[in-house]
Amino acid sequence: MRIGIVNDLGIATEALRRVLARRADFRVAWAAASGEDAVAHCARDTPDLVLMDLVMPGMNGVEATRRIMAASPCPILVVTVSVGANAAMVFEAMGHGALDATDMPSLGGEENGGADKLLAKIDLIGRLTAAPPRPLPARAPASGAAHPLLAIGASAGGPSAVARLLEGLPADFAGAVAVIQHIDEKFAPGMADWLGRYSRLPVRIANTGDTLQPGRVLLAATNDHLSLRADARLDYVREPAQLPYRPSVDVFYKSVADHWRGPIVGVLLTGMGRDGAAGLRLLRDQGHHTIAQDRATSAVYGMPKAAAELDAAVEILPLDRIAARVRDLFAQTQTASP
């Protein structure tokens, strides 16, 4: 894997070089000391991965990410001092297509675990597009009446796309909302708060034992998979352990296909890889309405593309039309209810 480093501090660049040198299969393609340099380097020599700092003089990492993903798209991992303190910038960068974020390892990172965490993140990104979607075994949908559910899946580019969708839902939205976003568990509470700035509905992280209630948004919040149990309560499960996507959209879609007793609208937004495509197809096969984001408005056209290839989406829509379509579908559901 050829990796580009973007950081304005020489000591930080050296720390990253030392971490990458621990792996024979990693090579530093180039190092840029500013956002402007990073954009230019990517245009001339697009690497397999960019390690992007956030806080830099001039063009910061958020704007550099936006420009790189628009002109020379490639996987970007945010690596910066105090990710927690810069959570808003992290979500903005992810909204432009960055895949994940982690704290900067120090020169002594081998001792504090920082180096191992960074290498694990890089390995995970390397696995994201390795496996094609596999059909999920179907079960008969659960019977009985229940309120409708909006199930949203997203990855790279997802935070801003999810925020845009939630922003378009009314305060009296009649359905329950669940969001599965590929994000490290340490950032989930901050993302729930951040999404709450855009949503008229309350947003919080999902806890084990929660139920999906109308007018409330629950966000998957651990590195295990969020799943709906047969008793209609949420749980976190480790299996399938081999999946690189954690939490997995496919696992959640499969669980609601098996156990949710009401109508489901499945929406698959921007993201790298193929997670959610097979699950969206399962929902469609059971008669639920499914929507995938279109290529033009996706920051990373991976997951929606996989869904389109599987014919998993009833509709493929630009991001700015999805919320209105969801409102129409839920209004139709209410009208059809006795």
Side-chain angles (χ1 to χ4, degrees), residues 10-230:
I11 190 170
T13 299
E14 179 60 23
L16 292 173
R17 286 184 182 274
R18 291 190 185 186
V19 171
L20 297 177
R22 295 173 56 181
R23 290 281 296 273
D25 53 335
F26 293 165
R27 181 163 66 89
V28 176
W30 43 258
S34 68
E36 294 88 346
D37 286 347
V39 174
H41 273 298
C42 280
R44 291 192 302 267
D45 179 17
T46 306
D48 299 313
L49 175 67
V50 171
L51 305 183
M52 178 69 72
D53 190 19
L54 286 178
V55 182
M56 296 180 287
M59 184 187 298
N60 65 21
V62 174
E63 178 62 15
T65 296
R66 186 188 72 79
R67 295 195 185 190
I68 289 169
M69 294 305 296
S72 313
C74 62
I76 295 176
L77 173 63
V78 171
V79 184
T80 194
V81 174
S82 187
V83 164
N86 295 295
M89 293 183 72
V90 168
F91 301 138
E92 287 184 58
M94 292 183 70
H96 293 308
L99 292 175
D100 204 345
T102 191
D103 290 322
M104 168 69 67
S106 66
L107 281 174
E110 295 83 353
E111 300 172 4
N112 61 27
D116 290 337
K117 291 177 183 177
L118 174 58
L119 292 174
K121 292 277 189 185
I122 295 173
D123 281 333
L124 179 60
I125 289 172
R127 295 170 54 203
L128 280 177
T129 58
R134 294 176 298 174
L136 298 176
R139 288 176 50 180
S143 60
H147 50 269
L149 170 66
L150 172 61
I152 304 169
S155 184
S160 61
V162 173
R164 183 85 171 270
L165 198 166
L166 294 180
E167 192 174 25
L169 301 182
D172 60 351
F173 187 68
V177 184
V179 178
I180 313 299
Q181 163 75 47
H182 296 162
I183 190 170
D184 192 283
E185 62 184 353
K186 67 187 293 186
F187 308 128
M191 183 173 171
D193 292 340
W194 184 78
L195 289 175
R197 302 176 193 174
Y198 299 90
S199 173
R200 297 177 180 85
L201 306 173
V203 182
R204 69 170 178 83
I205 60 173
N207 296 308
T208 298
D210 279 346
T211 57
L212 293 160
Q213 297 295 328
R216 185 173 70 177
V217 181
L218 294 183
L219 173 70
T222 81
N223 293 337
D224 287 331
H225 309 300
L226 187 67
S227 179
L228 186 72
R229 303 188 312 224

Side-chain angles (χ1 to χ4, degrees), residues 289 291 315 317 321-330 332:
H289 198 92
I291 299 171
E315 297 181 280
L317 297 175
R321 289 179 53 197
I322 294 177
R325 184 61 177 135
V326 167
R327 293 196 304 267
D328 290 345
L329 289 167
F330 276 69
Q332 293 169 19

Side-chain angles (χ1 to χ4, degrees), residues 185-296:
E185 62 184 353
K186 67 187 293 186
F187 308 128
M191 183 173 171
D193 292 340
W194 184 78
L195 289 175
R197 302 176 193 174
Y198 299 90
S199 173
R200 297 177 180 85
L201 306 173
V203 182
R204 69 170 178 83
I205 60 173
N207 296 308
T208 298
D210 279 346
T211 57
L212 293 160
Q213 297 295 328
R216 185 173 70 177
V217 181
L218 294 183
L219 173 70
T222 81
N223 293 337
D224 287 331
H225 309 300
L226 187 67
S227 179
L228 186 72
R229 303 188 312 224
D231 64 358
R233 293 188 177 274
L234 295 172
D235 201 359
Y236 287 99
V237 296
R238 178 169 175 74
E239 299 298 331
Q242 77 279 6
L243 287 181
Y245 315 101
R246 309 190 72 85
S248 167
V249 182
D250 272 333
V251 170
F252 183 72
Y253 281 172
K254 173 67 164 57
S255 72
V256 296
D258 287 347
H259 301 305
W260 187 254
R261 294 181 178 276
I264 302 169
V265 174
V267 176
L268 193 61
L269 300 175
T270 172
M272 178 170 287
R274 300 172 179 274
D275 188 32
L280 200 72
R281 179 61 202 236
L282 179 60
L283 291 177
R284 181 176 187 177
D285 288 346
Q286 290 192 352
H288 299 292
H289 198 92
T290 55
I291 299 171
Q293 188 175 349
D294 71 353
R295 179 191 295 269

